Amino acid sequence: MEMSAADGGLGRSAHRQRSCTVKRKRWGGLRQQWKLLGLFEIDEQHEFYSLTCMMKEGLAAASQRTIDNAPRNELSDEDYRLEVTQIHQDFTMETFAGPVFSLLRGALGVSEQEYQQSLSSSSCYLQFISNSKSKADFFLTNDKRFFLKTQNKREVKFLLSNLKIYMEHLKRFPHSLLVKFLGVHRIKVPHRRKKYFIVMQSVFYPDDRLNARYDIKGCEVSRWTEPAPEGSHIIVVLKDLNFEGQYISLERQRAWLLQQVEIDTHFLQRLNVLDYSLLLAHQPLQHDERHQSLSFASLIMRAKKSVNPGSTPTYPGISAVPGEVQEDGSTLLLSETADSYFRQSQVGVASSGGSLQTCPEHAGPGSDTAELPEFKAQNRRLLPNLKNPLYVIDGPEQRYFIGIIDIFTVYSFRKRLEHWWKRLRHPGRSFSTVSPQAYCVRLCHWVQDHTK
């Protein structure tokens, strides 16, 4: 049988259509499966494979530029406004305020080499599909240490315009629970929309033994998520109502947590921000972890990590926010610091009576805050000897991972209208869209009511 050129073209076209249909069906099936799992590898069949490859290539070049250029002695106003464009074969990538984030990474104990290795590894990124209403896309490095999230132009502009006071807040309170931003970038591909994204430290790292994850806003409307079936490996981020009847059991460190949540939420109130979340996860402490945390050697290492600036890189204008500890000499009387810390914690818990403490930020001129040692004035604590110490708090039985994320929602005129509409729709019930002051107070009260 002879086939005309037209018939041959139709045959090839039909074959291509069938092939595309098969791929769409395969992708659709995988997508449904991945939606159940919540976390999966972005391989060559994935819709975001091309984007994540560009992210890897761009971040490798950006971090290499930082490695090749010695860090500056101090930050200038120009550093906060700096935009560096690097041209690649199929795209260009812009890096915003690179020197600022480089210094912050160093202060966090993250070297440029390990940052580059994690972000540009040959291993696939992971996509996290959340139950968030956000239209953003969420990615994790394969080692789950760093989080990447797409942002819109308004959110990036808001972050960069407030970057200096954000850095000042971390300098004043080095053990802040606020999300740690490590980079802001924009990818441009010809004839496509620009893609903004940020790099952050993951709050839930390492996550190998986590029992449950929660996203807390301190309200009740739309704050319930159907839990995963018992015994399954499905990753579900639960919400406020799922946590009811449970407590964060910290004992000595409860007073610190109440204080730091109040400090950080008051800062966000100053930025006129609402709708942020307190991320929370927990896992049981193993036998060796409980005893190690009480050992003298462990207390020395933890005090070194928490107090001594020599344990991590420091730069003018940024205080050390401890990360990995290097074995070096120290003039600090570590055992005295550790012992002093525990004495202060016990006094703080007893004197607070479970009530929220007054932040140093809001203390009056006649208060004792200015006379306290720097360790207490900055609301520092004894950090665990881990790679992600700022978000990890150990209680007697459980290890908790706690951080504050999603700090881009400004209380605009649109949000004010939404507030009044929700008041009419949900009379007598609490919902997320309230004034920044009310949001701040409510979240502080939630932490107070759910800790012991």
Side-chain angles (χ1 to χ4, degrees), residues 205-436:
Y205 174 80
D207 69 344
D208 303 337
R209 297 189 287 120
L210 292 184
N211 283 346
R213 300 166 172 84
Y214 296 88
D215 179 300
I216 302 296
K217 292 183 183 289
C219 57
E220 57 181 319
V221 173
S222 300
R223 301 306 297 167
W224 166 267
T225 294
E226 193 63 34
E230 188 174 352
S232 75
H233 296 288
I234 296 174
I235 298 174
V236 176
V237 179
L238 303 172
K239 298 183 180 180
D240 302 60
L241 297 181
N242 298 97
F243 195 79
E244 285 307 304
Q246 302 180 64
Y247 291 91
I248 304 170
S249 181
L250 296 176
E251 293 187 356
R252 287 173 171 171
Q253 298 210 68
R254 178 178 183 264
W256 177 87
L257 179 64
L258 295 180
Q259 178 95 336
Q260 193 58 53
V261 169
E262 187 178 357
I263 290 169
D264 288 333
T265 54
H266 273 87
F267 171 72
L268 296 176
Q269 179 185 333
R270 285 170 47 207
L271 294 183
N272 201 34
V273 164
L274 70 155
D275 212 26
Y276 43 90
S277 296
L278 184 80
L279 277 190
L280 168 66
H282 59 80
Q283 66 188 35
L285 282 174
Q286 296 180 339
H287 180 76
D288 60 331
E289 291 173 330
R290 294 181 198 176
H291 288 272
Q292 182 183 24
S293 65
L294 298 176
S295 71
F296 181 73
S298 175
L299 288 178
I300 289 179
M301 291 300 292
R302 292 172 63 192
K304 196 176 194 179
K305 179 188 290 288
S306 307
V307 182
N308 182 21
S311 63
T312 53
T314 62
Y315 305 96
I318 300 181
S319 59
V321 183
E324 256 187 305
V325 176
Q326 304 296 325
E327 292 289 349
D328 57 4
S330 173
T331 58
L332 180 68
L333 297 177
L334 299 170
S335 60
E336 292 182 9
T337 302
D339 181 59
S340 172
Y341 168 76
F342 282 120
R343 287 201 306 270
Q344 289 177 2
S345 295
Q346 288 175 308
V347 171
V349 173
S351 63
S352 65
S355 63
L356 292 174
Q357 299 174 341
T358 303
C359 299
E361 182 176 329
H362 304 285
S367 69
D368 295 332
T369 303
E371 299 174 8
L372 295 174
E374 184 180 49
F375 188 90
K376 188 172 181 182
Q378 293 187 325
N379 199 43
R380 293 180 184 245
R381 62 185 172 99
L382 278 177
L383 297 172
N385 192 27
L386 302 170
K387 274 197 171 184
N388 189 32
L390 294 175
Y391 299 126
V392 178
I393 309 175
D394 286 350
E397 304 289 336
Q398 297 280 328
R399 170 165 290 168
Y400 297 94
F401 296 74
I402 303 175
I404 297 175
I405 64 163
D406 294 340
I407 62 174
F408 295 111
T409 304
V410 176
Y411 195 48
S412 60
F413 178 71
R414 180 178 177 181
K415 284 295 177 182
R416 293 171 190 268
L417 291 178
E418 184 180 335
H419 166 75
W420 288 106
W421 177 77
K422 286 187 175 180
R423 283 191 65 177
L424 294 174
R425 186 179 180 186
H426 307 289
R429 301 183 68 194
S430 60
F431 46 83
S432 62
T433 312
V434 294
S435 71

Side-chain angles (χ1 to χ4, degrees), residues 64-162:
Q64 189 60 49
R65 184 179 186 276
T66 303
I67 292 171
D68 294 339
N69 293 275
R72 307 184 186 190
N73 292 328
E74 58 184 35
L75 293 174
S76 64
D77 290 340
E78 288 71 23
D79 290 326
Y80 286 91
R81 296 191 295 265
L82 183 64
E83 298 180 17
V84 174
T85 301
Q86 292 177 296
I87 301 173
H88 301 267
Q89 183 174 350
D90 300 315
F91 68 98
T92 61
M93 193 178 89
E94 292 168 287
T95 298
F96 299 93
V100 180
F101 292 109
S102 172
L103 293 183
L104 178 55
R105 292 193 296 268
L108 288 164
V110 179
S111 72
E112 291 300 322
Q113 288 77 10
E114 63 180 327
Y115 184 68
Q116 182 186 60
Q117 181 179 359
S118 181
L119 288 168
S120 56
S121 163
S122 59
S123 301
C124 296
Y125 278 178
L126 308 171
Q127 185 185 13
F128 176 66
I129 297 180
S130 73
N131 47 13
S132 168
K133 296 179 182 179
S134 169
K135 295 180 180 179
D137 299 307
F138 303 86
F139 310 113
L140 277 166
T141 53
N142 197 268
D143 59 9
K144 301 182 184 178
R145 188 175 181 185
F146 302 111
F147 214 96
L148 298 91
K149 180 184 177 184
T150 60
Q151 304 281 171
N152 61 42
K153 184 177 181 180
R154 182 200 63 78
E155 292 167 334
V156 167
K157 185 177 180 181
F158 174 79
L159 171 58
L160 294 175
S161 64
N162 290 289

Side-chain angles (χ1 to χ4, degrees), residues 8-42:
L10 289 173
R12 287 191 295 272
S13 176
H15 175 73
R16 283 195 298 270
Q17 288 177 353
R18 283 195 299 271
S19 176
C20 289
T21 301
V22 169
K23 286 183 178 179
R24 280 196 296 270
K25 285 182 177 178
R26 182 187 176 194
W27 165 243
L30 289 173
R31 189 176 179 85
Q32 289 303 315
Q33 179 184 356
W34 288 333
K35 279 188 176 180
L36 291 176
L37 295 175
L39 193 66
F40 53 89
E41 287 194 343
I42 302 175

Side-chain angles (χ1 to χ4, degrees), residues 90-92 187-195:
D90 300 315
F91 68 98
T92 61
I187 285 179
K188 296 196 316 189
V189 180
H191 314 298
R192 294 190 197 175
R193 292 185 63 182
K194 300 172 184 177
K195 185 74 72 173

